[in-house]
Amino acid sequence: MGNEKREGKQRIETSKVHIYAEEVEIKSKKLKGHPDKPNPDLICFDNLRSKLQNCIGQIISVTIRGCCDPFEGRLTKVEGELLIFDRIRAIPICDVTSFSPIFLAYATNSGDGPDDDTVSVVSTASNMEIAARIPVGDNPLGVAITPDGSRVYVTNSFGHTVSVISTATNTEILPRISVGDFPFGIAITPDGTRAYVTNLNGNNVSVINIATNSEIFPRIPVGLNPVAIAITSDGSRAYVTNSFSDNISVIKISTNTEKLPRIPVGTLPIGIAITPDGTRAYVTNGIGDGIGDTVTVIRTATNTVIDPPIPVGDAPRGIAITPDGSRAYVTNLFDNTVSVINTATNTVIGAPIPVGQGPIRIAITPDGSRAYVTNIDENSLSVIDTATNTEILPRIQVGDFPFDIAITPNCV
């Protein structure tokens, strides 16, 4: 019986392939028209093809000429004059009047136990989870996505490993990568060749070769209890928050060595973000005493602090900067709010934005229109409309104890 079922499935799959091939051939012929009379619609071909090829493997929304509502699907292949979606649907390129990427948010769920250690995948178009939660290692915390959007890297703090997820299948690529003691934050170089991981208990940084998914030794010594890490847009330096030594380590990427001296900041520095032009780094500080809860600004050309520090809410933790570099968004863990900083004046804009319980990390969509906040105390994500700086309700339910969040890049 088992063999008969397998043979039946194979016949069905073979039939699907033949049907699909015929559909592609028919649509291709229609698009090409008579060989002596080039189709004027092909003027669109060169303009769209190169742009769409950059989006292979990602979910996009396309508007089809003379058709219905926009179609959403994962672009599997650009084959000749055709776009192949989800491996089974073919659409002529010149039938597409417009398209846009669907940004996906990946949130780590640090969980109560091994069964709850997962990653949620949320569509920023629908603000809903779009796939089954992805099992990863023990107590996942940090998350980063490669510049081409093909893989997600997750730090498993209790397992001393990093999980790698394929965004094409939303499944883990095994084996996991062994790193240092209690891996926490993670950042990927702009060229996508290396990932840098802070090891909280090891007081060092591991470097991963992304081509081989293996660690490059030796590890880089930094300050006490490093938490977050951010890399400049030119890929030359990484900045690390040393939470227990109240300073910032700067790593020279070309040599994987620390540039001394370290930069003194406020008490308990946790989050860090660098402006798109690479000129400034913004660091969250504060133990939640309502006194030293600030953001420190660092001039990266000289690695010196720009005074005064910026007062924000109670226990600032996560920070993200808009793609145009004009604003920084800061999660205030104990206030259940998000502060917004004008980076031109380094002052807070308006009142803090109320969000969920325990906002701890934040990420902004590549188009700058939305900010996504992990609410660790209520297992949800808050979404902020950055045009109005108000929360978009309802909140998105995710896994247990959501911690960090990253959003796929813009393929256009």
Side-chain angles (χ1 to χ4, degrees):
M1 182 63 71
N3 289 336
E4 290 176 1
K5 284 185 177 179
R6 280 195 295 272
E7 290 171 2
K9 287 182 178 179
Q10 288 171 356
R11 284 195 295 272
I12 291 169
E13 291 303 319
T14 302
S15 299
K16 284 182 179 178
V17 169
H18 286 313
I19 292 168
Y20 160 72
E22 288 170 6
E23 181 183 3
V24 168
E25 184 178 359
I26 291 167
K27 289 188 177 182
S28 182
K29 285 178 179 177
K30 283 182 179 179
L31 181 64
K32 289 177 181 175
H34 192 280
D36 297 329
K37 297 178 180 179
N39 190 333
D41 285 344
L42 288 181
I43 295 171
C44 74
F45 180 75
D46 289 334
N47 293 333
L48 279 174
R49 181 181 169 85
S50 59
K51 292 179 181 178
L52 285 159
Q53 281 181 320
N54 292 331
C55 294
I56 291 174
Q58 299 199 31
I59 297 175
I60 65 173
S61 173
V62 296
T63 302
I64 303 168
R65 179 185 302 152
C67 187
C68 35
D69 293 334
F71 168 76
E72 293 181 6
R74 189 178 297 278
L75 182 61
T76 309
K77 192 176 183 182
V78 178
E79 183 175 275
E81 297 91 358
L82 294 171
L83 306 179
I84 313 301
F85 285 90
D86 302 311
R87 302 187 185 279
I88 57 171
R89 180 167 181 174
I91 297 174
I93 289 178
C94 289
D95 280 356
V96 174
T97 58
S98 66
F99 76 97
S100 59
I102 303 287
F103 306 125
L104 301 182
Y106 286 76
T108 56
N109 302 307
S110 50
D112 257 340
D115 292 340
D116 300 317
D117 296 327
T118 61
V119 173
S120 289
V121 187
V122 172
S123 166
T124 62
S126 64
N127 282 339
M128 296 175 62
E129 283 191 90
I130 62 166
R133 291 169 191 159
I134 306 164
V136 288
D138 199 357
N139 201 45
L141 294 180
V143 61
I145 301 175
T146 54
D148 65 1
S150 65
R151 282 177 284 175
V152 178
Y153 284 70
V154 176
T155 59
N156 304 309
S157 59
F158 290 172
H160 316 306
T161 62
V162 170
S163 288
V164 184
I165 295 168
S166 164
T167 59
T169 60
N170 283 327
T171 56
E172 186 179 9
I173 301 169
L174 296 171
R176 293 170 185 153
I177 307 163
S178 295
V179 288
D181 190 359
F182 208 99
F184 207 119
I186 185 167
I188 295 174
T189 54
D191 64 4
T193 61
R194 283 174 285 177
Y196 284 71
V197 178
T198 59
N199 299 308
L200 185 79
N201 292 340
N203 301 325
N204 56 35
V205 170
S206 291
V207 184
I208 294 171
N209 180 330
I210 284 181
T212 60
N213 280 338
S214 58
E215 187 176 4
I216 300 169
F217 289 95
R219 293 172 185 152
I220 307 165
V222 289
L224 297 178
N225 293 106
V227 173
I229 184 166
I231 297 174
T232 55
S233 55
D234 65 0
S236 64
R237 285 168 290 172
Y239 286 71
V240 178
T241 57
N242 300 312
S243 61
F244 276 19
S245 51
D246 300 337
N247 55 29
I248 304 298
S249 289
V250 183
I251 295 170
K252 186 177 181 182
I253 296 289
S254 61
T255 59
N256 282 339
T257 55
E258 185 181 10
K259 294 178 66 174
L260 296 171
R262 293 170 186 153
I263 307 165
V265 289
T267 302
L268 196 69
I270 297 291
I272 186 165
I274 298 172
T275 54
D277 64 6
T279 60
R280 284 171 290 169
Y282 285 71
V283 179
T284 62
N285 318 287
I287 59 175
D289 59 2
I291 300 172
D293 299 316
T294 62
V295 170
T296 297
V297 185
I298 296 169
R299 183 180 290 108
T300 58
T302 57
N303 284 335
T304 54
V305 170
I306 301 171
D307 284 323
I310 307 164
V312 287
D314 204 359
R317 290 295 180 263
I319 185 167
I321 296 173
T322 54
D324 65 3
S326 65
R327 285 172 289 173
Y329 285 72
V330 178
T331 61
N332 303 308
L333 183 67
F334 294 168
D335 276 351
N336 302 324
T337 63
V338 170
S339 295
V340 185
I341 295 170
N342 180 331
T343 58
T345 60
N346 284 336
T347 56
V348 171
I349 301 170
I353 307 164
V355 288
Q357 299 291 311
I360 196 161
R361 293 293 187 273
I362 187 167
I364 297 173
T365 54
D367 63 4
S369 65
R370 301 284 187 270
Y372 284 72
V373 178
T374 52
N375 301 311
I376 196 168
D377 291 338
E378 65 172 46
N379 302 336
S380 72
L381 305 181
S382 288
V383 184
I384 296 170
D385 181 338
T386 58
T388 60
N389 282 338
T390 55
E391 185 180 8
I392 299 170
L393 296 172
R395 292 172 189 149
I396 306 164
Q397 295 303 305
V398 289
D400 289 346
F401 302 107
F403 192 86
D404 200 4
I405 188 165
I407 298 174
T408 51
N410 192 343
C411 61
V412 178

